[in-house]
Amino acid sequence: QVQLVESGGGLVQPGGSLRLSCAASGSIRSIAAMGWYRQAPGKQRELVGVIRSGGSTNYADSVKGRFTISRENAKNTVFLQMNNLKPEDTAVYYCNADILGFREWGEKNYWGQGTQVTVSS
């Protein structure tokens, strides 16, 4: 069974920075993509960014130039470096991954439990 665990959320002032991490564990053969979503109160969950197995990345327009996704493949871990944070970045951030497990022929999608990010003065 695969599990995703996020960490690094917290309270930060506008203009500050946070670094989120998400570690995947379990019977993993390969990871096709790992990404971050966020959901604010009263809002739909939205894609923040994704990094694929080949290293390519995509970001939401609202975070381009401020957020950076990176990965440490040997540890099945993805990071989200968030700089110049704004109050509108306040949300629960969720890790998401498409993972091929051992003895499987198709990828499955997994979600982490979420970590709270609050940007306020």
Side-chain angles (χ1 to χ4, degrees):
Q1 191 69 29
V2 172
Q3 184 178 22
L4 304 179
V5 179
E6 303 107 325
S7 63
L11 175 64
V12 65
Q13 295 183 5
S17 298
L18 284 174
R19 184 172 183 256
L20 307 183
S21 65
C22 173
S25 62
S27 300
I28 298 171
R29 181 184 297 273
S30 63
I31 300 177
M34 297 187 75
W36 293 91
Y37 290 73
R38 67 186 182 186
Q39 187 167 25
K43 302 288 186 179
Q44 291 188 332
R45 188 172 298 184
E46 64 176 349
L47 176 68
V48 176
V50 62
I51 183 166
R52 287 174 280 274
S53 61
S56 63
T57 58
N58 291 101
Y59 298 94
D61 288 340
S62 59
V63 306
K64 287 180 179 177
R66 300 189 297 120
F67 292 10
T68 303
I69 293 177
S70 61
R71 65 186 183 184
E72 190 169 337
N73 290 337
K75 296 182 178 180
N76 293 325
T77 300
V78 65
F79 304 93
L80 182 67
Q81 179 66 46
M82 304 185 294
N83 297 325
N84 192 24
L85 283 161
K86 304 175 180 179
E88 50 263 45
D89 295 319
T90 296
V92 177
Y93 285 70
Y94 296 91
C95 181
N96 180 262
D98 291 325
I99 296 174
L100 178 65
F102 286 121
R103 303 168 70 175
E104 295 181 352
W105 297 106
E107 296 168 348
K108 295 181 179 179
N109 188 254
Y110 298 88
W111 288 94
Q113 78 288 346
T115 184
Q116 177 71 49
V117 172
T118 302
V119 184
S120 176
S121 59

